[in-house]
Amino acid sequence: MTFGALLAQQAAAAVERPNIIFILADDMGYGDLACYGNQYIQTPNIDRLARTGTSFTQAYAGSGISSPSRCSLMTGKNSGNTRIRDNQCYAGGLTGLKINPKGDTTIVRRANLLPEDVTLGTVMSKAGYRTCLVNKWHLDGYDPQAAPNHRGFDEFYGWTIATVHSNSPYYYPYYRLHGDSLINIKENEHDAHVRHNTEISTDDAIQFIHRNKERPFFLFIGYDAPHEPYNIDDTSWYDERGDWSANTKRYAALVTHMDYNIGRLLGTLDALGLRENTLIIFASDNGAAVMAPLKELNCGAGLKGRKGQLYEGGIRVPLIVNQPGRVPARQIDNLVYFPDFMPTLARIARHPENVPGDTNGMDISPLFYGEDIDTDSRPLYWEFPGKQRAVRHGPWKAVTVKKGAPLELYRIKDDPYEQHDLAANHPDVVKELDKMMRQLRSPSPNYPIEDE
């Protein structure tokens, strides 16, 4: 083989194995982006990703709340099979201190990922990618040895639950973890509001890209925005909105500020000549929170429910995929959800054999590249053990958000806002979906429920 042919082969291999950057917003509603219909919040960089890439209108998070949703994303399992099925566990796990948004503390019990749990970091590292997780993990419970750098990721820069003060005060932290080392953000000493955490996280991500520009990398950025408390000093994008409350301005500013920093990230890829060989994925971990200005900004796009619920407003999320020259500009309505990302990214990395056999997702990578595949004939399942459960199968969705309450039935294809409960009209469908849900879950020692 000639030297020129070798270079051509290596270039082709690089295209086949793109860098991958997964950006996850926190508590951002389905309707918070202009590209998903928002008329108030400015998100030009994310909108450009949607306009020049593929956006999904029926994409679902792994759960309606942070830890189980991220666990589903990281392990490829639905929330009836994951290690972590709620932010707190009912038995086992470890107890620790939780700092609430108002600053008060409580003692809670949490589960954490164990060494035997295979994560996206594990899968991508085995595929030869340099892996890094920036900022929010939320899967360590109160075990400091369950941080990302102990669960498959080569590098970690951010905060953990176990190190309770590592993201305090929220959005302008003084402490931050670099691997297992706790460092100080000197500019934010004495509660100074100098470096916002969205900027810090973007800086960490950009530095990682610079260090690994010559090799394939998998970068996961878990931004805090726009999770409450809505803490940002710069609301200049919206200061002229005299009809908005300060809370509404801060919420919108958190989203726009995140968008601005995503623009910085894209600019880095452009400057380094990496943009065409980098796959960008953007999503939110669940729907908008009840504290969000749901009515003022239409954060939920009219969907029923919110964060913490398995109605559409709690689990349907924006999903955008972009890679210049490879991912086509289109909008599609295939049913996809977080467990799909492990087999999908393993396939893109050309090592599908790295995915464990007990995952619940499917490879949806053909959808990224303009092909059409059937994703709607398989069921999607969610639960908060013993409290809420839901299944989406084809046009139907069965759901209950109250313990012991009967299942509600919606034909989501025709009723996306879950306004017309058809359970009484289709008891046979309810029965079949109930049976399906029971088959899609497994018992957990951390979440024992009565009917197991």
Side-chain angles (χ1 to χ4, degrees), residues 288-347:
V290 68
M291 294 74 69
L294 295 168
K295 293 182 179 179
E296 296 92 332
L297 300 184
N298 196 28
C299 302
L303 297 174
K304 185 176 183 178
R306 51 170 173 76
K307 173 185 176 180
Q309 296 181 325
L310 297 182
Y311 287 128
E312 295 290 285
I315 56 176
R316 192 186 292 203
V317 295
L319 172 62
I320 300 165
V321 179
N322 186 288
Q323 186 182 354
R326 297 215 62 205
V327 175
R330 63 175 183 158
Q331 187 178 82
I332 57 178
D333 62 0
N334 294 72
L335 297 183
V336 299
Y337 75 149
F338 278 10
D340 294 334
F341 281 108
M342 179 175 280
T344 298
L345 298 189
R347 172 65 66 180

Side-chain angles (χ1 to χ4, degrees), residues 24-28 60-70 73 136 223 225 227 283-287 307 314-315 317 338:
L24 192 68
D26 196 343
D27 289 5
M28 192 182 74
Y60 290 91
S63 180
I65 202 166
S66 186
S67 289
S69 186
R70 293 163 192 268
L73 175 60
K136 186 171 181 177
Y223 284 121
H227 192 289
S284 177
D285 68 338
N286 46 247
K307 173 185 176 180
I315 56 176
V317 295
F338 278 10

Side-chain angles (χ1 to χ4, degrees), residues 398-425:
V399 58
T400 180
V401 299
K402 295 181 180 180
K403 182 178 181 179
L407 287 171
E408 303 165 26
L409 180 68
Y410 301 98
R411 189 174 175 84
I412 296 295
K413 184 176 181 180
D414 305 317
D415 181 22
Y417 303 108
E418 295 170 298
Q419 298 298 303
H420 308 288
D421 182 2
L422 302 176
N425 304 79

